[in-house]
């Protein structure tokens, strides 16, 4: 039975970190909500009382009877099965730690446009969004990106990968973060290749991997848009 | 060698979720920054270039040469060693998923008093904090608490534990979340026992466990305060 990914239709969002791993591995999977009754199936599962262990929110992965929620948890689960996790047990905790730092970074990206409430429109929290984004551009992007650049530099096996000398799901997620930041904040990211050369080299190498290249050109890859996590609002972008 | 926990001194904060697991298990550990040179040791490790895999931020756990960052990751690592994780492999992903939902909830608690920037004082973002807290009290507390109550209700092995019929680190973390919410938001939480009876019963049972009771009465348990995650600012609290 193929893996079933449940996530909001119409956006890359958090689901994209899982899609990139599934696509790189070339395994069969169903992106459930892109099917005609998919949204109804997802809501039924979230609201139902039949599953022993319900998720709080999408994305979640269904593998047979098991439902695995949260991006980092899904990747922890899938990584070894897809050949995208370190083989050493201790290094799997390193990978998970890096993925959780990516999770935090992505949550901060989301909060640039929704600093007050996820229940209100962006337009209704624009002033707080401008304040939060200014801080994000000036302090948070350099802090997180500088950290990940250092992770690559300090990797004892070379700076081509986040962990060890093989591709992992963490590398794929770093690619996606850089893609998203470029889309949302073209001004704040315009010197990225000068400031974060190892990360940009990693990004460019991922982009050229055959399965990823094929995926990015396919209709399975949705465009970034202003319903997702990475949104381009010019008023929130500024030079770093 | 005892486990070494690295976290900011003077607050319960995120470190407390780890401390509760270590205390319940009754194992030997060092709370590094409470020692005279602890803060210097932590900063050296964070800023240094000698470790192959550096954490982004505290808390992190050092077990011999391995450094495990992020609360959920630390508990994933320690859980089986401390007898506080489900024995079944699939259920460990359920536990990790629940812990990651707790992580998200705790981040939202933090952002009630820091919605704009972690680099600015609360006083400088008070207006946005009031807006965010109003939304948090009315929408987010019931959403998260209602979810965890449902998790207990739907547990096929009974509602005494989050997973299966044995204590896990998730139960301990739920205890801490409820403690923290009661401290920070006495008005918003005053009907908790009526709205979330299974969760409150779990909280009260944890509080009576001998090792936890002992810990809570010791000087190792710091008081909640206005430097931590759960802060009591009366102007941010309101009836649910």
């Amino acid at each position: 039975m193929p893996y079933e990914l449940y996530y909001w239709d119409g956006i890359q969002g958090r689901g994209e970190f899982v899609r990139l791993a599934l696509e790189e591995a070339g395994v069969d999977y169903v992106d459930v909500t892109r099917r005609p009754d998919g949204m109804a199936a997802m809501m039924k599962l979230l609201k139902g009382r039949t599953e022993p262990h319900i998720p709080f929110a999408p994305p979640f992965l269904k593998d047979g009877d098991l439902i695995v929620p949260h991006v980092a948890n899904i990747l922890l689960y899938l990584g070894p099965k897809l050949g995208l996790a370190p083989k050493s047990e201790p290094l799997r905790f390193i990978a998970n730690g890096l993925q959780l730092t990516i999770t935090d970074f992505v949550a901060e990206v989301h909060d640039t446009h929704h600093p007050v409430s996820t229940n209100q429109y962006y337009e209704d929290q624009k002033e707080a969004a401008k304040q939060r984004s200014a801080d994000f551009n000036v302090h948070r992007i350099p802090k997180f990106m500088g950290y990940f650049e250092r992770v690559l530099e300090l990797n004892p096996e070379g700076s081509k990968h986040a962990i060890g000398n093989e591709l992992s799901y963490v590398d794929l997620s770093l690619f996606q973060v850089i893609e998203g930041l470029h889309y949302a904040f073209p001004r704040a990211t315009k010197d990225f290749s000068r400031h974060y050369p190892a990360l940009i080299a990693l990004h460019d190498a991922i982009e050229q991997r055959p399965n990823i290249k094929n995926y990015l050109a396919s209709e399975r890859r949705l465009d970034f848009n202003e319903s997702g996590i990475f949104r381009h609002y010019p008023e929130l972008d500024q030079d770093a």
Side-chain angles (χ1 to χ4, degrees), chain A:
Chain A
M1 215 161 95
Y3 296 115
E4 292 180 343
L5 173 65
Y6 289 76
Y7 191 60
W8 307 115
D9 188 23
I11 60 170
Q12 291 185 17
R14 292 183 167 88
E16 198 65 14
F17 297 94
V18 182
R19 286 188 199 106
L20 284 167
L22 293 163
E23 292 282 349
E24 166 61 29
V27 295
D28 201 17
Y29 73 99
V30 182
D31 208 335
V32 175
T33 66
R34 294 199 192 159
R35 295 194 162 178
D37 296 327
M39 274 298 287
M42 183 167 89
M43 296 319 290
K44 192 178 162 196
L45 207 153
L46 281 169
K47 304 282 175 204
R49 302 192 68 91
T50 50
E51 293 293 333
H53 306 289
I54 48 165
F56 179 74
F60 54 90
L61 184 87
K62 203 163 180 307
D63 182 15
D65 284 341
L66 181 64
I67 295 176
V68 180
H70 286 279
V71 170
N73 197 28
I74 297 170
L75 293 172
L76 183 78
Y77 177 77
L78 283 179
K81 298 178 200 294
L82 303 183
L84 289 172
K87 282 171 196 73
S88 125
E89 178 82 7
L91 286 184
R92 289 190 184 170
F93 290 97
I94 301 296
N96 191 41
L98 289 168
Q99 192 66 40
L100 288 170
T101 301
I102 293 171
T103 301
D104 288 349
F105 194 16
V106 169
E108 292 201 18
V109 170
H110 170 271
D111 283 4
T112 57
H113 48 79
H114 276 78
V116 170
S117 168
T118 52
N119 298 304
Q120 290 169 22
Y121 292 110
Y122 163 62
E123 287 69 21
D124 297 328
Q125 48 196 307
K126 209 169 182 174
E127 285 317 305
K130 281 184 195 169
Q131 287 177 56
R132 177 133 188 171
S133 296
D135 181 80
F136 181 78
N137 285 314
V138 174
H139 296 293
R140 304 305 282 174
I141 289 182
K143 187 169 168 86
F144 279 98
M145 289 292 290
Y147 167 72
F148 289 118
E149 182 76 9
R150 243 176 104 218
V151 166
L152 293 180
E153 283 170 12
L154 296 179
N155 180 352
E157 309 222 28
S159 64
K160 287 195 173 167
H161 297 288
I163 311 134
N165 59 5
E166 284 185 287
L167 182 76
S168 74
Y169 63 76
V170 174
D171 295 332
L172 297 172
S173 293
L174 287 171
F175 163 81
Q176 175 66 7
V177 165
I178 292 166
E179 283 283 289
L181 290 174
H182 273 304
Y183 172 78
F185 303 100
R187 288 176 57 190
T189 60
K190 75 173 183 309
D191 291 329
F192 261 25
S193 53
R194 188 157 56 83
H195 292 138
Y196 313 113
L199 280 169
I200 298 306
L202 171 65
H203 167 275
D204 295 351
I206 300 281
E207 197 169 35
Q208 293 307 319
R209 295 184 69 88
N211 285 358
I212 297 295
K213 199 169 177 175
N214 182 290
Y215 169 60
L216 296 177
S218 76
E219 59 176 20
R220 297 190 304 286
R221 170 79 165 188
L222 298 170
D223 290 334
F224 285 107
N225 62 46
E226 280 55 57
S227 302
I229 306 272
F230 293 98
R231 303 187 185 186
H232 179 51
Y233 295 129
E235 64 274 23
L236 302 187
D237 185 21
Q238 63 182 85
D239 294 338

